[in-house]
Amino acid sequence: MTYRIGELAKMIGVSEHTLRYYEKEGLVVPDRNKNNIRCYTEDHKLWAEFILHMKDIGMSLEDLKDIQNYGH
């Protein structure tokens, strides 16, 4: 299943702007369809939810980037 930015934003309780910011920061990078529309997968959704949870307990976006890049 794939979601457009508005669908995912609504599902996880953030604004589209927040998802675009996460994309700009390299945290949640969606696939793009042939019309260049963002397409988020279930994995993107789970990762975005993880980011939100970790932010709620005080983790910085920089620390989350380190986690994301660990082992790459």
Side-chain angles (χ1 to χ4, degrees):
M1 174 137 226
T2 60
Y3 312 101
R4 288 187 170 192
I5 191 168
E7 294 171 316
L8 181 60
K10 185 175 182 180
M11 289 171 69
I12 65 173
V14 299
S15 68
E16 291 179 24
H17 173 79
T18 297
L19 289 174
R20 285 187 201 99
Y21 179 74
Y22 289 168
E23 180 179 358
K24 178 182 162 219
E25 292 297 311
L27 284 166
V28 180
V29 181
D31 302 325
R32 299 278 184 150
N33 69 14
K34 64 182 179 183
N35 295 320
N36 204 33
I37 295 173
R38 291 171 177 88
C39 297
Y40 295 90
T41 64
E42 190 65 25
D43 286 341
H44 291 116
K45 178 181 175 282
L46 292 172
W47 178 246
E49 289 172 333
F50 176 75
I51 290 170
L52 295 172
H53 173 73
M54 297 309 284
K55 280 186 61 196
D56 283 347
I57 62 170
M59 185 171 279
S60 72
L61 291 181
E62 288 302 316
D63 288 341
L64 284 161
K65 286 180 194 178
D66 289 342
I67 290 170
Q68 182 181 32
N69 293 324
Y70 183 77
H72 288 121

